[in-house]
């Protein structure tokens, strides 16, 4: 379907000093969807979006304000927006006259109680409550429950409250705006307010080519599929029994991005079914989900149901796959519990590698963190120490693989304002970019990685990247890190990061200390995890430290005591 541009304006960030900045951003969204997804709109939807541009500025602005708020019903006396430049009543009349609003909607009892205060409602229902034998001072929720059986049907505000009461209007096109929001954001988790107040105007974004081939939605039916799954999740969140939601879950999709959304829906449905005592449904939902968390939950549920043989077969098959450290750890525990019950061989226990530990006694600082105290104590001109935590290794990876991270993979980017790809922590992030990632690792192997990292640092400085924290990653830190960190160690670190980005982006040691002048054959850096008095290592930190020990990456845990303490805390 060919449609003309409804707003005739380029996509860009709004000027937050403009009191109508939110309208600028709404026009950006409408324009983007209109230009990039015209074939996913019906003729009626296309006409409606074209009509949006024909509204006066006050009417467009008021409509945008209402779309940004929750619900579809609004009291006209509560719509106060001085920046419109015209009376709200005038804009409301225009919106009602052009079909955007219903000026006389039917309102249910629940909606009535949501829109009006207790003081406004008590006089209206005083006689009804008296006839029901209820005290006139009932709280609002109890009053509504008392009246529910007597007023099952929706009616107009005038019928509810009588003449002369504040008017109520209803948005007629919220479903269209939800569809637009989905096609722009790629999810319905982000609200219009998120877009206006957070996503725009504060950051610089990488330019990603947006082509028909890179779109997440290729057909209107895929948009409908997403909306169906969103409704299923909403029903679950609202407390509808999982057994009632199950028949509404759509079948699997060939669209990898939508398939991952379905996997998450099935994971949640399985969780809720188990909590509701419907174990068979929980097993069915979890078995159909490819989400990485679903497999462990399925095995644990089978254990609780004493289906040890079935659990063993699934666990053994899964054990042959490439798993993250956390998955390996959880699976090994299950296999050890199952082995004696099925007469199978228990997995061989491997001794945890020894972690190098030091104890440091320091004066208690008047201000600042324990990590900064250790950094200042250890840092010397010939051995500088930096407080980097999760920023350095992630940042080096983000700079080396910048072009791969921002490749126009289908379903990764929906609009011009992404900090990073939408599928970053999805299970298939690596598989869909494997060739490009291996090419990046080739730079580590042939020695050209340093030039590539520095070129990206200088060309991309300040542009948002999910792995790069610019204020921490200074050029001095970058230069010394590239001098002292061997490419072979960087490759080991990066490959582990990619095994589970969600899990492995955190847990890295607090400090890194460099030895630029060392020539004795030892590594010219060390990683240091700092633990203050009473602090303990977390599981994900332990897994990183064990990885360092196995791979020959110098790392230690520094336990800090304060000199003014009588004994270790």
């Amino acid at each position: 379907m060919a449609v003309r541009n409804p707003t005739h304006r380029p996509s860009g960030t709004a000027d937050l000093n403009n009191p109508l900045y939110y309208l600028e951003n709404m026009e950006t969204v409408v324009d983007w969807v209109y230009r990039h997804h015209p074939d996913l709109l019906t003729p009626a939807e296309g006409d409606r979006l074209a009509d949006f541009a024909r509204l006066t500025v006050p009417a467009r602005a008021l409509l945008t304000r209402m779309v940004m708020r929750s619900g579809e019903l609004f009291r006209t006396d509560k719509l106060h927006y001085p920046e419109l430049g015209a009376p709200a009543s005038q804009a409301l009349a225009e919106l009602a006259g052009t079909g955007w609003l219903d000026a006389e909607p039917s309102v249910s009892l629940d909606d009535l109680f949501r829109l009006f205060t207790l003081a406004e409602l008590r006089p209206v229902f005083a006689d009804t409550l008296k006839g029901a034998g209820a005290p006139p001072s009932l709280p609002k929720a109890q009053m509504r429950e008392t009246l529910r059986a007597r007023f099952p049907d929706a009616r107009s505000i005038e019928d509810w409250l009588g003449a002369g009461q504040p008017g109520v209007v209803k948005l007629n096109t919220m479903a269209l705006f939800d569809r637009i929001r989905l096609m722009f954001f790629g999810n319905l988790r982000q609200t219009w307010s998120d877009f206006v107040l957070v996503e725009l105007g504060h950051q610089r974004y990488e330019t990603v080519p947006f082509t028909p081939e890179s779109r997440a939605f290729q057909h209107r039916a895929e948009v409908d599929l997403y909306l169906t799954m969103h409704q299923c999740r909403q029903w679950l969140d609202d407390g509808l029994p999982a057994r009632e939601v199950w028949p509404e879950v759509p079948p699997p999709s060939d669209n990898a991005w939508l398939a991952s959304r379905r996997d998450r829906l099935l994971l949640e449905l399985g969780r809720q079914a188990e909590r509701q005592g419907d174990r068979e449904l929980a097993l069915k939902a979890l078995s159909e989900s490819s989400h990485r968390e679903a497999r462990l939950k399925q095995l644990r549920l089978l254990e609780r149901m004493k289906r040890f043989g079935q659990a063993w077969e699934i666990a053994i098959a899964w054990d042959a796959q490439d798993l993250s450290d956390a998955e390996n750890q959880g699976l090994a525990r299950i296999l050890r519990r199952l082995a004696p019950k099925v007469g199978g061989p228990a997995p061989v226990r491997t001794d945890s590698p020894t972690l190098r530990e030091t104890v440091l006694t320091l004066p208690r600082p008047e201000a600042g963190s324990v990590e900064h105290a250790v950094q200042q104590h250890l840092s010397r001109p010939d051995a500088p120490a930096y407080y980097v935590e999760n920023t350095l290794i992630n940042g080096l990876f983000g700079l080396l693989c910048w072009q791969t991270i921002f490749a126009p993979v289908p379903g990764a980017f929906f609009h011009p304002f992404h900090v990073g790809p939408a599928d970053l922590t999805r299970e298939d992030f690596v598989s869909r970019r494997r060739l490009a990632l291996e090419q990046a690792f080739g730079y580590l192997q042939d020695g050209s990685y340093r030039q590539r990292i520095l070129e990206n640092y200088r060309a991309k400085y300040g542009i948002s990247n999910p792995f790069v924290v610019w204020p921490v990653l200074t050029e001095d830190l970058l230069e010394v890190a590239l001098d002292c960190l061997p490419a072979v160690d960087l490759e080991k670190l990066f490959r582990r990061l990619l095994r589970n980005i969600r899990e492995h982006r955190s847990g890295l040691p607090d400090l890194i200390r460099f030895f630029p002048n060392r020539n004795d054959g030892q590594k010219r850096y060390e990683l240091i995890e700092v633990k203050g008095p009473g602090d303990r290592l977390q599981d994900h930190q332990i897994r990183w430290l064990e990885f360092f020990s196995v791979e020959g990456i110098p790392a230690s845990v520094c336990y800090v005591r304060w000199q003014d303490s009588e004994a270790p805390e």
Side-chain angles (χ1 to χ4, degrees), residues 66-85:
M66 297 169 78
V67 168
M68 288 169 55
R69 289 171 58 171
S70 61
E72 297 178 321
L73 292 167
F74 302 91
R75 285 177 55 159
T76 57
D77 63 329
K78 301 295 184 181
L79 298 173
H80 300 301
Y81 300 108
E83 76 276 6
L84 298 181

Side-chain angles (χ1 to χ4, degrees), residues 195-212:
F195 177 75
V196 168
L197 301 176
V198 178
E199 294 295 334
L200 299 184
H202 301 286
Q203 303 182 72
R204 293 171 55 205
Y205 304 92
E206 179 63 287
T207 301
V208 179
F210 194 87
T211 65

Side-chain angles (χ1 to χ4, degrees), residues 343-356:
V348 178
R349 287 181 179 269
T350 56
D351 293 333
S352 297
T354 302
L355 305 184
R356 191 161 66 89

Side-chain angles (χ1 to χ4, degrees), residues 407-481:
V409 174
F413 298 95
F414 293 84
H415 53 76
F417 312 107
H418 275 288
V419 172
D423 65 339
L424 181 64
T425 58
R426 214 172 72 192
E427 283 81 351
D428 61 352
F429 175 83
V430 173
S431 63
R432 298 207 298 160
R433 298 165 175 82
R434 191 172 301 281
L435 290 177
L437 288 166
E438 289 304 323
Q439 183 181 14
F441 287 130
Y443 301 136
L444 290 167
Q445 294 155 11
D446 67 20
S448 61
Y449 71 96
R450 182 188 183 101
Q451 178 182 352
R452 183 176 179 84
I453 287 174
L454 290 174
E455 285 177 352
N456 278 334
Y457 181 85
R458 290 157 186 160
K460 307 295 185 180
Y461 190 86
I463 297 175
S464 297
N465 180 308
F467 293 98
V468 180
V469 180
W470 292 112
V472 177
L473 202 63
T474 64
E475 194 155 4
D476 286 344
L477 172 58
L478 198 61
E479 291 278 5
V480 69

Side-chain angles (χ1 to χ4, degrees), residues 129-344:
L129 290 172
K130 184 177 180 181
S137 59
L138 275 180
K140 195 174 186 180
Q142 290 181 244
M143 182 191 297
R144 184 180 64 241
E145 292 307 310
T146 302
L147 296 170
R148 190 181 299 281
R150 290 172 170 78
F151 299 99
D153 299 323
R155 55 180 68 183
S156 70
I157 288 297
E158 187 169 345
D159 287 343
W160 277 118
L161 306 180
Q165 297 300 318
V168 171
V169 295
K170 180 181 180 181
L171 274 175
N172 286 332
T173 51
M174 185 58 85
L176 173 59
F177 280 104
D178 283 342
R179 185 175 290 266
I180 292 169
R181 179 160 58 98
L182 171 57
M183 286 189 280
F184 185 81
F185 285 120
N187 64 74
L188 288 172
R189 181 186 69 259
Q190 289 173 276
T191 67
W192 294 111
S193 295
D194 292 332
F195 177 75
V196 168
L197 301 176
V198 178
E199 294 295 334
L200 299 184
H202 301 286
Q203 303 182 72
R204 293 171 55 205
Y205 304 92
E206 179 63 287
T207 301
V208 179
F210 194 87
T211 65
E213 295 74 26
S214 68
R215 298 189 312 177
F217 299 113
Q218 293 296 324
H219 309 285
R220 181 178 176 86
E222 293 176 338
V223 182
D224 295 337
L225 176 61
Y226 187 104
L227 291 169
T228 299
M229 291 191 290
H230 177 76
Q231 180 61 73
C232 289
R233 179 57 192 260
Q234 190 63 54
W235 283 329
L236 290 172
D237 291 345
D238 291 343
L240 197 68
R243 175 62 64 177
E244 295 181 27
V245 178
W246 174 252
E248 306 303 323
V249 175
S253 170
D254 293 334
N255 182 312
W257 175 71
L258 289 173
S260 74
R261 306 290 306 190
R262 183 175 182 272
D263 288 338
R264 286 199 287 275
L265 172 62
L266 290 172
L267 173 66
E268 182 60 27
L269 192 146
R271 284 171 171 164
Q272 298 209 22
E274 184 180 4
R275 284 198 292 268
Q276 293 161 11
D278 197 340
R279 287 181 163 185
E280 293 297 339
L281 176 59
L283 277 180
K284 188 169 181 58
L286 293 172
S287 67
E288 286 195 23
S289 174
S290 296
H291 194 284
R292 66 170 73 245
E293 293 181 30
R295 290 176 287 194
L296 281 175
K297 288 188 175 297
Q298 180 191 12
L299 292 173
R300 289 169 182 150
L301 179 53
L302 285 169
E303 277 192 282
R304 287 192 286 274
M305 297 172 72
K306 302 189 184 305
R307 296 184 184 178
F308 304 123
Q310 186 180 352
W312 178 261
E313 289 180 7
I314 295 172
I316 289 297
W318 188 27
D319 193 36
Q321 300 177 25
D322 186 23
L323 307 177
S324 71
D325 293 348
E327 289 172 323
N328 270 319
Q329 186 180 65
L331 182 58
R333 290 171 178 166
I334 290 173
L335 285 170
R336 282 195 290 271
R337 293 195 300 268
L338 290 173
K341 294 180 171 66
V342 299

Side-chain angles (χ1 to χ4, degrees), residues 376-390:
Q376 292 172 8
H377 175 80
L378 294 178
S379 191
R380 304 192 309 266
D382 63 334
Y386 293 83
Y387 181 24
V388 295
E389 201 169 7
N390 300 311

